[in-house]
Amino acid sequence: MVAQADKTAPIHIKMEAFKNLQVIKDYYLVLGGGKIGTDFLRYALKNRFPFVLIIDRDKNAPASREARVLKTRSELVNLLREKAKIPLREKVTEQLPEIEYESIKEDKRESKKEDKRENKESEAYFYAMDMHSIPFLLGLGIPENIIPAVPCHAIAYMLADILQFPVREAKNRGSQAGLPEIEIPEKNSSGENRPVNELLILPEDSGLMSFFKTLEAVFPEDVIAGSYPEYGMLFFSYAREGEICPDNCPGPRDRCLTFGRDKTKTITEYARELNNTIPGWVFESHQMKPGIGGLKGVEFKRNILEVLEFVNMFQEGRIKKPEKSEERAFFIATTCTCHGVLNIFYVT
């Protein structure tokens, strides 16, 4: 991921903005318009999900051919304001990063539309938008359901964009080449402190490696699908190397029927046990359809607010800031019954 812009707002302002955000009922936001995103879109249309918005940085993504394409940001803003029942004349005051609201003419007829759900076909829209613009979307209302359909840890990216710090992609996970280059500064280009950084651990740092191994030990070896301390990441799965889960797997909690494997605990339950070791937040993925999971907007909002409060307590001096970065560390995990990914961060 390319480092974000260096403009930031105080965390307490971000917190107030998030508290005031509405969770919009029946709003499904799909991050990614490729195979998975398009599969979910078809399912949503078949089952008449009321309102689906798919975003993808590729304007020609497959999902763009099966949904109404929004061509301008004004169209997008008008649409989401209508869904959130925000009068178009009102100025949105959420101070999330990189949100710029365009001047939009008031349309009283649109603002007075009633939302008639019964016997109504699905509304499905596509908008070409980069992941970095998700805070902009959130500033218009939090979806009731968020479906990550991108090949990255979407929650980690969202947190990075909200708090304005860089996240590195683990494109060559496991490679030891060039590791000294992955260290990222605690200050941005203007010299201001970043509130949070990734905890990227070099092999020669025995203290941090020991810390990482302690976290890793919370999980059974047979569910750890990848361990990359150089990126501060852990991957989990009940599937073994070379095994491919079926597209329409229902994700049973107690036993994997596909591979005949018992599950003592779900990956979500294991991840939550890590809270006994360090602070952290588990974003649970709930099944939206067989084979595709999504985050509940209410849980997402609560977790993000708690993360912001955690960081803010250090910044305001309500928590004494330890010298060692691992003592200021916390984790963010996205998990379901069978799979998961975890990133480790630290307050600067």
Side-chain angles (χ1 to χ4, degrees):
M1 176 185 279
V2 179
Q4 294 89 342
D6 283 332
K7 54 183 179 181
T8 61
I11 290 179
H12 72 274
I13 293 179
K14 299 177 191 289
M15 289 173 57
E16 287 303 311
F18 246 89
K19 287 178 183 177
N20 293 328
L21 291 179
Q22 175 186 348
V23 177
I24 302 176
K25 182 176 173 56
D26 295 327
Y27 170 18
Y28 294 78
L29 173 63
V30 184
L31 310 179
K35 179 180 181 295
I36 296 175
T38 304
D39 183 23
F40 178 80
L41 171 60
R42 291 169 180 165
Y43 180 84
L45 291 172
K46 180 180 179 181
N47 290 277
R48 296 189 176 186
F49 287 18
F51 172 49
V52 181
L53 173 64
I54 307 100
I55 66 167
D56 195 295
R57 64 183 178 183
D58 179 5
K59 66 180 182 180
N60 297 314
S64 68
R65 298 189 287 272
E66 302 191 32
R68 176 184 169 185
V69 176
L70 300 172
K71 297 181 179 179
T72 68
R73 181 163 287 195
S74 293
E75 285 184 275
L76 176 66
V77 171
N78 273 335
L79 177 66
L80 291 178
R81 282 176 176 269
E82 177 192 337
K83 298 301 177 185
K85 299 295 186 293
I86 300 174
L88 297 182
R89 63 181 175 276
E90 284 189 13
K91 182 179 179 181
V92 179
T93 59
E94 286 83 352
Q95 299 191 38
L96 299 178
E98 299 186 8
I99 297 180
E100 296 179 1
Y101 295 95
E102 302 174 18
S103 296
I104 304 169
K105 294 181 180 179
E106 182 178 0
D107 186 338
K108 293 183 179 179
R109 290 174 300 174
E110 289 294 316
S111 66
K112 291 181 179 179
K113 272 187 179 180
E114 293 184 0
D115 188 11
K116 298 179 180 178
R117 300 294 186 196
E118 295 183 5
N119 301 319
K120 188 177 181 181
E121 294 294 329
S122 292
E123 293 182 55
Y125 299 87
F126 176 89
Y127 186 68
M129 171 180 279
D130 188 85
M131 282 277 292
H132 293 304
S133 296
I134 289 178
F136 164 80
L137 285 182
L138 298 180
L140 293 163
I142 296 175
E144 185 176 21
N145 298 283
I146 302 169
I147 297 87
V150 286
C152 66
H153 189 184
I155 295 299
Y157 276 46
M158 283 189 254
L159 183 65
D161 283 313
I162 291 168
L163 286 174
Q164 294 294 292
F165 67 93
V167 168
R168 299 296 179 96
E169 291 185 16
K171 289 183 177 179
N172 298 309
R173 291 192 291 266
S175 171
Q176 300 300 310
L179 285 182
E181 298 178 7
I182 69 172
E183 186 175 1
I184 52 180
E186 292 195 354
K187 293 185 177 182
N188 59 31
S189 59
S190 64
E192 297 178 349
N193 285 328
R194 302 184 189 279
V196 167
N197 265 349
E198 291 181 286
L199 190 64
L200 308 179
I201 303 171
L202 301 178
E204 59 268 25
D205 194 328
S206 58
L208 284 178
M209 283 298 294
S210 176
F211 169 72
F212 185 84
K213 293 296 181 183
T214 299
L215 304 184
E216 187 180 46
V218 172
F219 302 88
E221 289 185 13
D222 60 357
V223 304
I224 296 179
S227 177
Y228 307 103
E230 66 270 29
Y231 293 101
M233 296 184 74
L234 286 167
F235 293 83
F236 313 105
S237 181
Y238 269 108
R240 305 285 190 265
E241 186 175 357
E243 295 178 342
I244 300 176
C245 299
D247 288 342
N248 294 317
C249 178
R253 298 184 65 85
D254 301 322
R255 182 173 172 79
C256 173
L257 301 178
T258 302
F259 304 115
R261 194 166 295 136
D262 290 332
K263 304 176 189 176
T264 305
K265 296 179 182 178
T266 67
I267 298 299
T268 298
E269 289 168 340
Y270 279 125
R272 285 179 173 151
E273 289 181 352
L274 192 57
N275 280 124
N276 297 325
T277 305
I278 66 169
W281 287 266
V282 178
F283 291 75
E284 183 175 6
S285 179
H286 303 270
Q287 196 159 80
M288 299 285 112
K289 70 171 288 291
I292 296 179
L295 311 173
K296 298 294 185 182
V298 171
E299 297 173 6
F300 170 81
K301 179 179 179 179
R302 181 181 66 241
N303 279 352
I304 291 294
L305 280 172
E306 289 180 1
V307 173
L308 294 177
E309 172 62 16
F310 175 77
V311 177
N312 194 46
M313 285 192 297
F314 280 100
Q315 289 206 328
E316 292 184 345
R318 285 182 280 153
I319 297 179
K320 185 178 180 181
K321 192 178 292 185
E323 183 176 341
K324 294 181 178 179
S325 56
E326 60 265 39
E327 295 176 352
R328 292 175 266 129
F330 65 97
F331 72 88
I332 296 294
T334 301
T335 62
C336 64
T337 58
C338 309
H339 313 284
V341 58
L342 180 149
N343 282 71
I344 306 171
F345 304 100
Y346 70 98
V347 180
T348 59

